Amino acid sequence: MAPTQLQKRAVRAETQRKCVSQRAKPSGIRKVRKVVVKPDISKAFRELQSQYYNDLFTPTRPTVTASQDVPDTVQAPNQIPVVEAKSRPNVVNADRNDSTKGSLAQIYLELHLASVTREVPLSSQLDMYEGLDYAPSTTTGFRLSSEAVAMLDALDSAAAFHDVDVEPADYTNTAGTISNNDNAMKLSQLACIKVRTSQRYGAFATSHGWIMLSILANCATFRHCCHSLDLKAWYLLSTAIGNNATSIEIFAKVRDLDWKSALTYIARRRPSTLSLDLYELLQTSIQLKPGSPHSYVVSDKRVRPKHPTIEGREQIDINDSVYLPEHFTNAPIQKHWPYGKPHPSNPTTRTFSDGICRSCFSSSWCNCSPNNCALVTRPLVELKDYGTKGVGIRTLQRIAKDDVLGEYVGLLLPANDKSDHVYSFDFTRADAASGEEAIATICAKNYGNWTRFINHSCKASAYFSAKIIGQKHRVMIVAERDIEAFEELTVDYGMDYWRSRQCFCGEEGCCNPGEQ
């Protein structure tokens, strides 16, 4: 007998009651179709962009709680990205510090290369390109170099960020038509990165100045870091640049790097941002004359750089030692003066029996010199004020062990000359036997190069070595070990130098330590 309609309803109700009590799926209930909700790409783009704007580029100083340990050497600029205190570690990761140091050293190298290898100066390119945008020209057939375009784009991005009060939502159309696919998401992410880069350039110009941005815009490494680094890495690099701002500005200006042309060009394009302040900006910047790269002393303090002086006179840079016959005319012939060598004559001159050139390995005379041979690395260094130790040498790049760095040069005087007790160096020839007395003195008091400012250390990073290069015996500076970038370069003066002096090297086991 078939069940009635009322019996079917009773059985269904009982089945539903049991399923609910047991948390089981009711077998007699129709399945519900799952609805897949696709993400709103436009909303995701706006949220991501808002996060970049609010977290990375808020124009205030970062807040630090009392419980945090912040290194004393890190001095945050006025306008830098903000990081929440709870997310910032107390100890900076060593790998990040090494990466920051490496990026900064590469920036110095690229500034140097930009000043010596650019075929067509930027000012000449802009003169030919006046009145046109910096896209490729089809009417004149003239193109700006890729480096020039990248420089101008960096400055224009910073100026555009300051030109108007841009809200994050205004950039939503830069990714094109938003559609629900992977390509649209990639486009939106690229647009966010472009916005982030523009905001970083703008914040950098605010905190470090337009001149510093114009100088660093010459460097592909700086532009790449601004585009690709994460927040923490960019913060560390920006801080390192701020701590070395005076050094970078002096480095660029004494090498006559063209940074004004790009800044002036952008000022004409965006007069509301730069034109009113450009004249004052240029007048208040550090005014330096291009010349020797080691003609100014860098200080940690924001003071006008000065030339190195001795007894009120400016110390002159020379490339090779100076020999004047009158200094040796009345001087006695030294015990170890080379046999058969006329006196007086230049004591550094090489003869055929002395040995081969250590650069080209030629036994005959050659044109090698420390300024052009491959043996000498000629690293990037600067003169720096080290307080109680005086002016010293700071390296701007990494130096490998056994690298030949440069020649100690000066005025050649007779051996045992007593006119100077600070910059004089006893000269012995490269072929001299161990223990032989000096045959001349190299005095770098008034005439010399950067090597005369190398300070002493009881654990020195370099040493003196006599070598034959070209037509002369020369005193060279050689790396004792691997030397990191931004480390002070030091040599050992010897115990005799410190018999009546105090040493301030600060190393353990110092020969004659003085009060710091």
Side-chain angles (χ1 to χ4, degrees), residues 374-392:
L375 176 67
V376 184
T377 59
R378 297 177 291 278
L380 296 178
V381 297
E382 69 179 2
L383 275 58
K384 189 176 187 302
D385 186 359
Y386 282 98
T388 55
K389 294 192 294 184
V391 178

Side-chain angles (χ1 to χ4, degrees), residues 54-72:
N54 294 328
D55 293 345
L56 303 185
F57 304 104
T58 303
T60 55
R61 293 179 66 88
T63 57
V64 182
T65 60
S67 61
Q68 287 180 283
D69 297 330
V70 179
D72 296 335

Side-chain angles (χ1 to χ4, degrees), residues 75 77 122 204 239 279 304 314-315 332 427 452 507 516:
Q75 301 177 357
L122 180 61
F204 187 91
T239 302
Y279 178 78
R304 181 178 177 83
E314 184 177 331
Q315 293 175 292
F427 171 75
R452 59 181 157 178
E507 297 289 349
Q516 296 289 338

Side-chain angles (χ1 to χ4, degrees), residues 139-153:
T139 57
T140 63
F142 174 75
R143 290 173 180 264
L144 287 173
S145 66
S146 58
E147 279 294 312
V149 172
M151 287 176 55
L152 294 173
D153 184 65

Side-chain angles (χ1 to χ4, degrees), residues 116-380:
V116 299
T117 61
R118 184 165 291 164
E119 296 180 358
V120 181
L122 180 61
S123 58
S124 300
Q125 295 186 49
L126 293 177
D127 288 342
M128 291 184 284
Y129 212 64
E130 188 64 31
L132 300 174
D133 198 358
Y134 45 81
S137 172
T138 57
T139 57
T140 63
F142 174 75
R143 290 173 180 264
L144 287 173
S145 66
S146 58
E147 279 294 312
V149 172
M151 287 176 55
L152 294 173
D153 184 65
L155 291 172
D156 190 67
S157 297
F161 177 74
H162 287 275
D163 202 6
V164 291
D165 187 14
V166 180
E167 296 293 336
D170 292 341
Y171 291 99
T172 54
N173 293 328
T174 57
T177 304
I178 301 297
S179 59
N180 296 329
N181 53 48
D182 293 339
N183 289 335
M185 178 61 77
K186 291 179 180 179
L187 288 174
S188 63
Q189 291 176 350
L190 290 175
C192 281
I193 293 175
K194 185 175 182 180
V195 173
R196 180 184 70 179
T197 303
S198 176
Q199 292 170 335
R200 282 186 175 180
Y201 281 136
F204 187 91
T206 301
S207 58
H208 299 292
W210 286 97
I211 292 179
M212 183 58 59
L213 178 61
S214 183
I215 290 173
L216 296 182
N218 287 272
C219 305
T221 296
F222 172 77
R223 300 192 300 266
H224 173 75
C225 290
C226 185
H227 174 77
S228 61
L229 289 184
D230 59 33
L231 171 63
K232 185 175 181 180
W234 174 249
Y235 168 80
L236 292 175
L237 180 59
S238 178
T239 302
I241 291 173
N243 292 338
N244 292 274
T246 303
S247 169
I248 294 173
E249 190 168 347
I250 294 175
F251 186 91
K253 290 183 176 180
V254 297
R255 288 166 173 79
D256 201 17
L257 181 71
D258 185 7
W259 55 270
K260 292 183 181 179
S261 299
L263 197 60
T264 306
Y265 182 82
I266 296 300
R268 290 199 297 268
R269 285 176 51 86
R270 297 187 180 275
S272 60
T273 303
L274 285 175
S275 289
L276 295 178
D277 300 329
L278 184 59
Y279 178 78
E280 181 180 356
L281 188 69
L282 297 178
Q283 292 299 318
T284 57
S285 66
I286 301 176
Q287 303 295 325
L288 301 178
K289 293 181 179 180
S292 170
H294 311 115
S295 55
Y296 290 94
V297 179
V298 176
S299 174
D300 289 334
K301 301 178 181 179
R302 185 69 180 181
V303 296
R304 181 178 177 83
K306 298 180 179 180
H307 293 283
T309 58
I310 184 73
E311 298 176 353
R313 298 189 303 273
E314 184 177 331
Q315 293 175 292
I316 308 300
D317 280 348
I318 57 176
N319 293 324
D320 205 348
S321 293
V322 177
Y323 167 73
L324 299 176
E326 55 266 26
H327 290 155
F328 290 83
T329 301
N330 298 323
I333 300 178
Q334 298 298 316
K335 177 180 178 181
H336 294 96
W337 187 267
Y339 178 77
K341 185 178 181 65
H343 187 280
S345 64
N346 189 336
T348 65
T349 303
R350 165 194 175 193
T351 60
F352 291 107
S353 61
D354 292 341
I356 62 174
C357 170
R358 292 300 174 182
S359 178
C360 66
F361 303 102
S362 172
S363 58
S364 59
W365 278 23
C366 58
N367 294 322
C368 295
S369 78
N371 299 316
N372 61 23
C373 70
L375 176 67
V376 184
T377 59
R378 297 177 291 278
L380 296 178

